[in-house]
Each structure stands twice: as structure tokens, then as C-alpha cells.
């Protein structure tokens, strides 16, 4: 650049500064400007702007720049200025065509930067620190240049190429200025109001401040280290105050250098402050000083102003559960917050707190995993809990990968396309919010699951997690299904092993099937049960019962039956469904496959079990044997047994030998059709003496028992056999009563001997004998009618009908539970119909009272006919003794008293016997009426058949017409 170019450039700069600082738009002659009081400082400021290498840090956006300026004015309480600026900008932007400013954004950006720079200088104290130069750089503002009246300003010059380019750009901005200078000057004036009083503060500027600008690539070779050689030029320049309007002589030494570094020289020593000193900053070949300077600026900036980049980095730290430099975890707030002493906008605090929610959730999930793993192998965790922690850890691993990507992006600047240009970091709060949208949803779900599953384990934990999977959001649904596949894996493995192998490996009590140590006979009924609290919601109650029964069947076959055929059935079931018997063949979401496998396995294993029970262990034959012997269905055996043990059982219970009774039982078996039963069945039949009390007879304690053995004792348990014995005692007493009445009939049966005896008795005695015998016969008929019909009802309406139903249900049984239910129904039906149920206790007591009356009647009848036989024999002896006239009879005997005394004694005996029969008959009638009056109110319908048989001729209805409505 030659001297002519210098003069033209400076003239343009002076004219522009004069136009901007002159209140009136009167044109001036460029060579003779009329300076204003602040003209020198303004000119210095303009040259400083042109000589700087300012690079915009934002993308060109004219509308955004206008909004930023208006927002700043409104924030400062200058609403009227904001409206004025908006009106001026409207006029300024409407100028198009020749003479208008094309790059309006550049003008707005320049004015905004100038305004912000003036604000910074205005707020700077008079005794500004020596590092104000760096402060200006750190703010990204303009280079500062203070003019002191009491110091020598040595002058300056810059790279002529850069200055020429800057002035040329400014010339483009000034092109056509005459057309809109008024509007432009008003726009500048509005911004100037933001810095009211700026020109009055020129004396407060201290020191020599500058800014290192970026050097243009390809600058011509040379060195400007000798710039500003003479301080007298700058001093003269200051003294002149630019009054002569010519500064070309003062910039006479300005030249282009070849070196890309700038050297600013001043008086004083380096390191003793900026005021009047010399600062030398240069680039070496390895760019070390430049990088060190940049790091120092960044450090200073972090210490004084918290940028968004730093907060983003702290947020990323908090998302990993780590305290950052500023964002730290506060126990009182229970979250990550910024400290109160930090001067950041409230919006920034809210954004940071919202983003740090992810870190709070991460902290909760990570804490649960750590706590659970520290407790292992305690029972509080379990395999399902471990799987849950492993699934959460996998999700956190994916989360760590995301954070690694975000940290990498946070360290990289935004690429702007052109070389040498750079911008801020790529990651911002807004971008972070977008990146966190999906992870925070997953983390919230995991935190909710952690809260809900803290006190749960096993199937209860899987069920609780399953409830959260019922969600309409596909993202949540897929996430929960992926999580549940891992969590339910141990549970489904337990189901598979239980259904196909019968193994229950539940160390931590997590499975919904619980086992307990019991005897073999109680294995099926009490060995295993469902634990409802551990049953997950995705397994139904019916499926759980089927799973329980299938595993029980395998264990029953293995333990009680010593059978291994179930293994083939399980393999066939797995092959039929299409699954394998190996680990991991089932999982969450395959409930249909699980149900099919359980159904097939249960069908085959239960079929094998029933075949084993019927063919190998002959379950039906043993049920029939119990019916024939304990329920007295084998008539000839029962009759013969009662005949031979009757005399023995009439003795006191404490004098009876059980070994003798066992011998009599064996004799009864061999003497009846029972001998044709199998040896296995006959060996199971035994005599059992019930506990007895003082005064009990053998009839009261005698019973039979049937030892079913393993595995039949699963059906015929101890409680079941106790109920069978109860039925046996009832039926045995009924048979005893029937047997007693039969014996009475045999005693009462008329024959020729008694007929001949009756004909020879006196008439009075004969009438008493006939009356007493008639009473006995009538009462016997009533009792026999009742006992016969009751026995018929028990044997046919109860036992045979119940047996028929049992046989049908045994044929329809599909598993052992059905078989047990059928037998239970059979036994309960017998008890209920036989008046032995819980609802027939009163009726049962009445029935046993009637049995006792009948046995008393048997004793009375025996006494009666024993007296008749004795009377007959005594009468014969009296006659024989009368013929021999023997007086040597014992005193007090019938024979000693003679025939008259014998007749008198006989009359008294028959009278007493008649009275006893009347008492028994009256008691029997009273109790029997009470019995039949309670029959209609019984709930079981079959008892109505008993009522119908007992009152078939309506005898009892006619006998008690007054109580007919009550009874019938």
C-alpha cells in the first residue's frame, strides 16, 4: 500500500467517524473536518475496530440479531428505545436496490458488539487490573485501547493488508450512505443510548489494551516487530487531536510484515503491568505459546463465568453418579443441584435439575444393584433377584455406551465447514434433552421397578414386574419384555425341571410350589402345595395346579411306586409339543408353549400313574375288599364271625385276648367264601381292639382293620381308615342288633312242648303267660320291622348305590386327584347317608339309644323264656315229687312250697315281666317317634327313602294323628 492509499483510507475513516459523531447530517469537506470533543477517541476506536481480526462466533441470522438487541433494551428497562429501534430497523431493512447496505446483519452485529464493548468498559473500575487485556479477550469483545494524558503513546500500526481489507469492507457498508444516513445514524444513536455517558468516561481508561486477532493465511513475508518505532509520532498525534484532519503522517511507518505474529511494544518491563508497559506475544514454529495462551484464557473464563460447556460436562458426570465441578449431589434436596452462590439464570438451574434427574434415577438403580449383590448369597436376593440385577446391569451397560458417545460429542466443536473456523462444543442443553428423552424413560421404569421389588423375591418379583409390562407404549412394552425374559429365566427353568423331571431346586424359596418333609403315605396330600404369594400373574391358577400335580405325580411314582416309566412319558410330552428337555427351552412370553408342555406331560404321566395303580397295585380290588369286610358286604363271613365271636365278646373288654380273636377271624375266613379271595387281600385283614373303659364289653371294643400299604395308603390314609372303622362299628352294632332279634325269635318260636305246657297250667297263670308273650311278640315285631328296614336301607340304598357311583367315577378319572376325589365322595356319601355325618349327630345318638333298647329287650326276652322253661321244669318235678310224697324239699323253693305256691310265684313273675316289657316298649315308642320325626328335616335326600320304608303302611301316621303335621 502506497502513501496515496493510506491517505484515501484514512480520509474515508475520518469522514465516516465524523458523520457518526456529528449531530447534524451537514456534509463536511473530508480534508477539513470540524472535530467534536470526542472525535479523537472515536477515531482511535474506529481504527482499533478496523485493525482487529474479529470473527463472528454465531451464524448470520439477521432476525435473531434484531430480537437479541430488542431483548437487551427491554431487559435494561428501555422499552421506548426498543420500540424506536424496531421502527428504525424497519426503515433500514426496507432500503433495497442501489445505494442500500447489502450485508445488514454485519452492520447490526458490529453495532451490537460496539455496544457490549462499551458496557464492559463502563463497568470496569478506574483502577482496572493489569489483566484487563485478557478480560477483554475472554469476553470475546473488541480490542481495548485506553488513552492516558500523562503518558506517551508510542503509536501503532497494523498489517496493511488486514487494514486495507477491513476498510474495504467498511467501505462496502458505507456505500450509498448518503441515501439512508439519517436512518443509519438514528439506529446507531439508539444503540449509543445503551452507553449513556460513555464519552464522559474517556479519562478513566487506563493502559494500553489490545487483542490478538487471527492472522490471515498467506500473509506476505516480513516482520512488524519494528512497528511503532517512534513514540513521538503518537504523542504529536494525540496533541494535535486530529484537528488538522490529517493523520497520514502519523501512520507513515505503517507497513506490511511477513511474520504472522504481532508485536506490541511500549515502555516499561514485561510482567510489571499493562499500563505503559510492553507486551510481546508471538507464535513460535510449534504454536506452543498460542496454545498456552488459549488454555489460560479458557481457565480464566471457567473461574469467572460458568459456560454451558462446563455445565454440560457436569451434567454428564452426574448422569454417571459422579459429582461434577459445580453440579453436586445434595442429600437434603435428594438430587443434583447447582450451588446457591453461582450466578446463573433460573432457567439454567431448572434445565440442569431436569437433566440431572437421569443421574438421580441412575443412582437409585445402581444403589439397588450394589446392595443386592453385596447381600448375595443371602436368601433375601435369590436367583430371580440376581437375574433382575443382571438385566438391570445390561441396561446400564447400554446406558454407559450412550454416555460415552455424548462425552465424545461434548468435547468436539461444531464444524462450520470452512477451514480455520471453529465454534462452541457440539453438545448443548437442548441437544442433551433430546438425547436423554429415551434413556430417561427406561431409567424411570427401572427406578419404579427397583422401588416395587425391594421387598419381593422369586415369583412375586416376576409378577410385580409383569404388571408394569401391560403398557400401550411400544418402547415401554419392548423394554419390559426384554427385561422379563432375563428375570423370568430362573422361574421358567424351575417349572421345566419340575414338570419334566420332578426336581424342585428352590434354595431361596422363590418358586410357587413348596415342599415339606412328610411320610410316604402323606407325600401326595401334604408333601407339596401351592404358595399363592409366589405365583406370578402370567401363570393362571388352573395352570399352576396342573404344574403342581404333574410334578407330584413324578415324585409319587419315583418315591412311593419305585417306578421310572415317567421319564419316557416326559420325553414324549416334550417331543409332542416341539420343545426340548434341556435348559432354556422355555421363557417369558411363551405361556402358550408352557401350557401345552404342561398339558401333554400331565396327560401322559397321569395316565401312566393310573395304569400302575389299577394293574400293579389293584386299587379297585382293594376297595372291593374293604367294602366286603369292613362294610360287612360279605354276608356269610359276617354271620359266621358273629356266631363264633359272640360268646367271647360278651365278656368284659379287659379279659378278651386279641390273639384268640385273630384265630377266630382266620377261622371265619376259611369257613366262608372269603377263602377264595387272594392271599394278599386276606393278609391285610386284621382284628383291632379299640380303647376301652371300665365296664365295656367285647362288643364295644371289637373292630376290623384293613392294612392297604404303600402306595395304596395314599388313598386309604389313617384318617380315611378311621372313618371306615366308624362305619364298621355302626354296621357291626346294627348286625348285632339284628342277630339279637333273630336269636330272640328263635327263643320265642312256639313248639309242641310249650303248647302242651300251656294246656296244663292253671287258667290264671296261663292268661298272664299269654298276655306277657303277646306283649313281647308285638314289641319284637316293631323292633324287627325297624331294624330290617334300616339294614336294607344301609346295604342297598347306601352301600350298593355308593359303590356303583365309585366304579363309574374310577373309570372316568384322569389323574390321581380325580381318583382320590371319587373315593372321598364315596366315603362321605356312606357317612352322610348312614346318619354318621356332622349334620346327623343328634339323629345318630337317637339311633344308638334305640339299639341299646333292643339289646335290653333281648335280655328281657331271654329272662322271660328262661323263666317259662324253669317253670315248666319245676312243674314237672312237683308232679313227680307229689307221687312219691317226698317232704324233703328245700325251704323257700318252688318245690317246697307246693303247687299253690308255684302258681302264685309264676303269676308274679309274668306280671313283673309284663311290666318290664311295657316300660321298654314305652321308651322305645317314645324314642322311635322322636327318631322318625327328625328324618324329614335331614338335608340328604336319600334319608327320605328310609322314612318311606319305615312308614310304608302309614302305621305311624295313624298311631299319632295329633302330631301328624309335625312328623309328616
Amino acid at each position: 500500500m502506497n502513501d496515496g492509499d493510506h491517505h484515501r483510507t484514512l480520509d474515508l475513516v475520518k469522514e465516516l467517524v465524523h458523520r457518526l459523531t456529528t449531530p447534524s447530517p451537514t456534509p463536511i469537506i473530508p480534508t477539513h473536518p470540524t472535530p467534536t470533543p470526542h472525535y479523537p477517541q472515536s477515531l482511535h476506536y474506529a481504527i482499533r475496530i478496523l485493525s482487529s481480526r474479529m470473527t463472528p462466533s454465531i451464524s448470520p441470522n439477521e432476525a435473531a440479531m434484531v430480537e437479541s438487541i430488542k431483548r437487551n433494551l427491554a431487559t435494561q428497562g428501555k422499552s421506548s428505545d426498543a420500540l424506536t429501534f424496531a421502527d428504525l430497523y424497519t426503515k433500514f431493512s426496507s432500503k433495497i436496490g442501489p445505494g442500500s447496505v447489502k450485508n445488514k446483519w454485519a452492520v447490526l452485529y458490529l453495532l451490537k458488539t460496539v455496544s457490549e464493548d462499551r458496557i464492559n468498559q463502563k463497568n470496569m473500575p478506574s483502577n482496572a487490573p493489569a489483566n484487563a487485556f485478557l478480560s477483554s479477550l475472554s469476553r470475546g469483545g473488541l480490542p481495548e485501547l485506553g488513552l492516558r494524558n500523562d503518558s506517551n503513546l508510542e503509536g501503532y500500526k497494523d498489517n496493511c493488508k488486514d487494514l486495507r481489507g477491513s476498510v474495504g469492507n467498511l467501505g462496502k457498508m458505507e456505500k450509498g450512505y448518503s441515501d439512508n444516513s439519517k436512518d443509519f445514524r438514528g439506529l446507531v444513536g439508539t444503540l449509543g443510548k445503551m452507553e449513556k455517558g460513555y464519552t464522559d468516561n474517556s479519562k478513566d481508561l487506563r493502559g494500553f489494551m489490545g487483542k490478538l486477532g487471527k492472522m490471515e493465511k498467506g500473509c506476505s513475508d516480513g516482520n512488524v516487530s519494528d512497528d511503532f518505532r517512534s513514540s513521538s509520532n503518537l504523542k504529536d498525534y494525540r496533541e494535535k487531536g486530529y484537528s488538522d484532519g490529517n493523520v497520514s503522517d502519523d501512520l507513515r511507518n505503517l507497513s506490511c510484515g511477513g511474520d504472522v505474529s504481532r508485536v506490541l511494544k511500549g515502555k516499561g518491563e514485561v510482567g510489571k503491568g499493562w499500563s505503559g508497559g510492553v507486551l510481546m506475544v508471538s507464535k513460535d514454529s510449534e504454536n506452543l505459546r498460542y496454545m498456552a495462551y488459549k488454555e489460560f484464557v479458557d481457565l480464566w473464563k471457567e473461574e469467572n463465568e460458568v459456560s454451558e460447556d462446563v455445565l454440560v460436562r457436569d451434567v454428564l458426570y452426574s448422569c454417571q453418579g459422579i459429582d461434577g465441578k459445580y453440579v453436586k449431589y445434595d442429600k437434603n434436596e435428594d438430587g443434583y443441584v447447582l450451588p446457591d452462590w453461582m450466578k446463573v439464570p433460573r432457567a439454567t438451574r431448572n434445565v440442569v435439575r431436569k437433566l440431572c434427574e437421569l443421574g438421580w434415577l441412575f443412582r437409585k438403580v445402581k444403589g439397588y444393584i450394589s446392595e443386592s449383590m453385596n447381600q448375595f448369597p443371602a436368601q433375601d436376593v435369590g436367583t430371580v433377584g440376581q437375574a433382575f440385577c443382571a438385566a438391570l446391569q445390561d441396561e446400564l451397560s447400554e446406558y454407559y455406551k450412550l454416555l460415552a458417545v455424548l462425552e465424545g460429542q461434548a468435547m468436539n466443536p461444531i464444524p462450520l465447514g470452512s477451514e480455520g473456523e471453529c465454534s462452541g462444543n457440539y453438545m448443548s442443553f437442548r441437544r442433551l434433552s433430546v438425547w436423554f428423552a429415551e434413556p430417561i424413560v427406561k431409567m424411570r421404569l427401572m427406578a419404579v421397578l427397583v422401588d416395587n421389588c425391594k421387598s419381593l423375591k422369586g415369583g412375586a418379583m416376576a409378577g410385580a414386574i409383569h404388571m408394569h409390562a401391560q403398557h400401550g407404549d411400544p418402547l415401554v412394552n419392548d423394554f419390559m419384555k426384554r427385561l422379563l425374559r432375563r428375570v423370568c429365566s430362573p422361574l421358567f427353568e424351575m417349572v421345566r425341571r419340575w414338570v419334566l423331571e420332578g426336581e424342585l431346586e428352590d434354595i431361596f424359596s422363590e418358586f410357587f410350589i413348596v415342599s415339606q418333609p412328610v411320610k410316604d403315605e402323606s407325600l401326595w396330600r401334604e408333601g407339596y402345595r401351592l404358595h399363592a404369594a409366589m405365583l406370578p400373574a402370567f401363570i393362571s391358577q388352573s395352570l399352576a395346579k396342573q404344574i403342581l400335580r404333574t410334578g407330584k405325580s413324578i415324585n409319587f411314582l419315583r418315591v412311593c411306586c419305585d417306578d421310572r416309566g415317567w421319564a419316557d412319558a416326559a420325553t414324549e410330552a416334550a417331543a409332542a409339543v416341539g420343545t426340548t428337555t434341556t435348559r432354556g427351552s422355555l421363557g417369558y412370553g411363551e405361556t402358550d408353549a408352557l401350557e401345552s408342555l404342561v398339558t401333554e406331560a400331565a396327560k401322559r404321566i397321569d395316565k401312566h400313574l393310573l395304569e400302575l395303580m389299577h394293574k400293579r397295585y389293584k386299587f379297585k380290588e382293594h376297595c372291593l375288599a374293604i367294602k366286603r369286610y369292613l362294610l360287612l358286604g360279605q354276608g356269610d363271613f359276617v354271620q359266621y364271625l358273629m356266631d363264633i365271636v359272640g360268646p367271647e365278646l360278651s365278656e368284659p373288654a379287659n379279659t378278651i385276648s386279641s390273639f384268640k380273636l385273630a384265630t377266630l377271624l382266620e377261622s371265619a375266613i376259611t369257613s366262608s367264601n372269603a377263602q377264595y379271595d387272594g392271599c394278599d387281600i386276606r393278609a391285610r385283614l386284621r382284628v383291632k381292639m379299640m380303647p376301652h373303659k371300665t365296664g365295656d364289653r367285647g362288643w364295644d371294643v371289637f373292630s376290623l382293620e384293613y392294612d392297604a400299604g404303600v402306595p395304596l395308603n395314599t388313598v386309604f390314609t389313617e384318617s380315611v381308615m378311621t372313618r371306615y372303622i366308624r362305619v364298621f362299628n355302626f354296621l357291626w352294632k346294627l348286625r348285632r342288633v339284628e342277630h339279637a332279634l333273630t336269636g330272640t325269635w328263635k327263643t320265642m318260636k312256639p313248639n309242641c312242648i310249650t303248647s302242651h305246657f300251656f294246656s296244663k297250667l292253671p287258667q290264671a297263670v296261663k292268661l298272664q303267660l299269654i298276655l306277657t308273650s303277646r306283649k313281647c311278640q308285638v314289641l319284637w315285631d316293631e323292633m324287627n320291622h325297624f331294624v330290617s328296614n334300616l339294614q336294607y336301607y344301609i346295604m342297598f340304598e347306601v352301600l350298593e348305590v355308593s359303590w356303583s357311583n365309585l366304579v363309574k367315577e374310577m373309570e372316568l378319572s384322569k389323574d390321581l386327584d380325580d381318583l382320590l376325589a371319587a373315593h372321598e365322595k364315596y366315603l362321605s356319601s356312606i357317612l352322610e347317608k348312614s346318619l354318621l355325618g356332622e349334620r346327623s349327630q343328634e339323629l345318630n345318638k337317637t339311633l344308638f339309644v334305640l339299639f341299646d333298647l333292643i339289646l335290653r329287650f333281648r335280655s328281657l326276652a331271654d329272662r322271660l323264656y328262661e323263666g317259662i322253661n324253669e317253670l315248666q321244669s319245676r312243674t314237672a318235678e312237683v308232679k313227680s315229687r307229689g307221687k312219691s310224697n317226698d317232704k324233703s324239699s328245700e325251704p323257700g323253693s318252688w318245690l317246697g312250697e307246693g303247687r299253690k305256691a308255684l302258681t302264685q310265684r309264676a303269676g308274679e313273675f309274668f306280671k313283673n315281666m309284663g311290666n318290664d316289657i311295657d316300660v321298654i316298649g314305652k321308651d322305645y315308642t317314645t324314642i322311635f317317634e322322636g327318631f322318625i320325626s327328625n328324618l324329614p328335616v335331614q338335608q340328604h335326600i336319600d334319608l327320605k327313602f328310609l322314612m318311606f320304608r319305615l312308614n310304608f303302611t302309614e302305621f305311624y301316621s295313624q298311631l299319632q294323628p295329633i302330631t301328624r303335621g309335625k312328623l309328616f
Side-chain angles (χ1 to χ4, degrees), residues 698-759:
W699 293 103
D700 301 322
V701 297
F702 175 80
S703 65
L704 297 179
E705 66 175 354
Y706 192 86
D707 185 13
V710 180
L712 294 177
N713 55 5
T714 300
V715 181
F716 306 111
T717 61
E718 186 177 351
S719 62
V720 170
M721 298 310 298
T722 301
R723 295 160 71 187
Y724 269 119
I725 291 175
R726 187 181 175 192
V727 177
F728 170 81
N729 291 333
F730 169 73
L731 296 178
W732 181 253
K733 194 160 190 176
L734 179 61
R735 280 300 184 98
R736 178 192 172 191
V737 171
E738 187 266 340
H739 187 265
L741 289 175
T742 303
T744 302
W745 169 250
K746 290 179 181 179
T747 304
M748 294 171 55
K749 184 178 180 182
N751 51 50
C752 59
I753 298 176
T754 57
S755 299
H756 180 70
F757 169 70
F758 286 160
S759 63

Side-chain angles (χ1 to χ4, degrees), residues 110-242:
L110 174 64
L111 298 178
K112 183 175 182 295
T113 305
V114 170
S115 175
E116 292 177 351
D117 186 59
R118 290 183 176 182
I119 293 175
N120 295 333
Q121 293 183 9
K122 177 181 179 181
N123 296 332
M124 184 182 299
S126 59
N127 54 349
N131 63 349
F133 172 71
L134 293 178
S135 177
S136 176
L137 288 177
S138 64
R139 290 192 303 269
L142 296 172
E144 297 183 2
L145 181 60
L147 300 178
R148 296 176 57 91
N149 296 327
D150 56 350
S151 64
N152 294 326
L153 193 60
E154 296 182 1
Y156 56 88
K157 63 180 179 177
D158 196 4
N159 189 291
C160 60
K161 183 178 181 179
D162 297 335
L163 181 60
R164 184 171 61 251
S166 301
V167 175
N169 292 332
L170 189 59
K172 293 179 181 179
M173 295 168 56
E174 193 63 14
K175 184 178 181 181
Y177 177 78
S178 58
D179 298 333
N180 55 359
S181 60
K182 182 177 181 179
D183 298 336
F184 186 68
R185 186 167 59 253
L187 183 63
V188 175
T190 303
L191 289 175
K193 292 180 181 180
M194 296 169 61
E195 291 304 315
K196 184 177 181 181
Y198 169 77
T199 55
D200 298 333
N201 297 328
S202 59
K203 293 182 180 181
D204 296 332
L205 298 177
R206 298 293 185 269
F208 178 80
M209 312 300 289
K211 178 181 178 181
L212 296 177
K214 294 183 180 179
M215 306 305 298
E216 291 184 359
K217 186 178 180 181
C219 183
S220 59
D221 297 337
N223 196 333
V224 294
S225 60
D226 295 329
D227 292 343
F228 302 97
R229 291 188 183 92
S230 176
S231 63
S232 60
N233 293 333
L234 188 54
K235 182 178 181 180
D236 297 338
Y237 174 77
R238 184 189 61 188
E239 292 175 350
K240 292 178 182 179
Y242 296 95

Side-chain angles (χ1 to χ4, degrees), residues 337-495:
V337 296
L338 287 170
D340 295 335
W341 56 265
M342 287 191 61
K343 297 181 180 180
V344 293
R346 182 180 299 175
T348 303
R349 287 184 181 273
N350 294 336
V351 170
V352 170
R353 189 175 183 86
K354 183 176 181 181
L355 293 176
C356 289
E357 179 190 357
L358 186 60
W360 181 82
L361 297 172
F362 170 81
R363 185 187 180 94
K364 179 184 290 290
V365 175
K366 187 65 176 178
Y368 172 80
I369 296 174
S370 301
E371 181 181 357
S372 299
M373 290 298 99
N374 291 336
Q375 291 179 355
F376 183 79
Q379 294 186 359
D380 295 334
V381 182
T383 56
V384 176
Q386 296 174 47
F388 180 50
C389 291
L392 292 178
Q393 191 63 49
D394 290 346
E395 295 298 330
L396 291 185
S397 298
E398 297 297 326
Y399 174 70
Y400 289 146
K401 295 178 182 178
L402 173 63
L403 291 182
V405 172
L406 295 180
E407 287 185 357
Q409 292 184 0
M411 297 174 62
N412 297 327
I414 302 176
L416 297 179
S418 60
E419 296 184 1
E421 295 183 355
C422 63
S423 179
N425 290 338
Y426 176 80
M427 192 55 60
S428 62
F429 285 149
R430 183 172 296 180
R431 286 190 174 93
L432 212 56
S433 300
V434 176
W435 277 103
F436 282 178
E438 182 176 339
I440 202 169
V441 173
K442 295 181 180 179
M443 200 65 71
R444 282 172 182 167
L445 285 174
M446 290 191 287
V448 170
L449 295 179
V450 164
D451 287 337
N452 293 342
C453 298
K454 279 185 177 179
S455 59
L456 301 177
K457 65 178 181 178
M461 178 182 289
I465 298 175
H466 168 74
M467 297 305 296
H468 291 277
Q470 311 304 313
H471 203 284
D473 189 351
L475 173 64
V476 177
N477 199 4
D478 294 342
F479 172 76
M480 294 303 300
K481 286 183 178 179
R482 184 171 66 252
L483 192 68
L484 279 168
R485 289 191 191 99
R486 294 289 304 276
V487 173
C488 297
S489 178
L491 194 63
F492 275 85
E493 178 60 21
M494 293 180 191
V495 174

Side-chain angles (χ1 to χ4, degrees), residues 865-890:
Y865 283 95
E866 285 177 0
I868 292 175
N869 291 334
E870 184 178 359
L871 179 61
Q872 184 179 5
S873 63
R874 296 303 185 201
T875 303
E877 289 182 2
V878 168
K879 288 183 179 181
S880 62
R881 292 293 179 90
K883 292 179 181 180
S884 62
N885 295 322
D886 188 1
K887 302 291 183 181
S888 59
S889 60
E890 297 179 359

Side-chain angles (χ1 to χ4, degrees), residues 762-792:
Q763 187 66 26
V765 176
K766 183 186 296 186
L767 290 176
Q768 289 182 350
L769 175 61
I770 293 174
L771 181 60
T772 303
S773 299
R774 181 177 179 82
K775 289 180 180 180
C776 185
Q777 185 70 40
V778 171
L779 186 57
W780 180 89
D781 286 339
E782 290 185 13
M783 292 180 177
N784 185 66
H785 171 75
F786 168 66
V787 171
S788 298
N789 283 280
L790 180 61
Q791 186 176 13
Y792 176 87

